[in-house]
Amino acid sequence: MTRDEYLSRAREFAPRGERLPHARLNADLVRAIRTNRRGLTARQWAEQLGVHQRTIDKVRDYRSWRHVA
């Protein structure tokens, strides 16, 4: 098995999202952030959830929590 093959398999089985012990978001919150029915800014979401504003931006742009549709 090559290094690239190992890394691609490792990503498949790595814990993501709520399975991480330090996660502050869950799938329902991610969906709410993306739909943003309440019209909140990233800063307002971040303050309410106790995360950084950039975390909200990454969720909205599908750069993090990609596995949540």
Side-chain angles (χ1 to χ4, degrees), residues 23-41:
R24 295 189 183 178
L25 301 178
N26 59 41
D28 293 332
L29 284 173
V30 169
R31 288 184 193 103
I33 291 168
R34 288 181 180 154
T35 58
N36 197 18
R37 293 175 196 247
R38 298 189 306 181
L40 298 176
T41 64

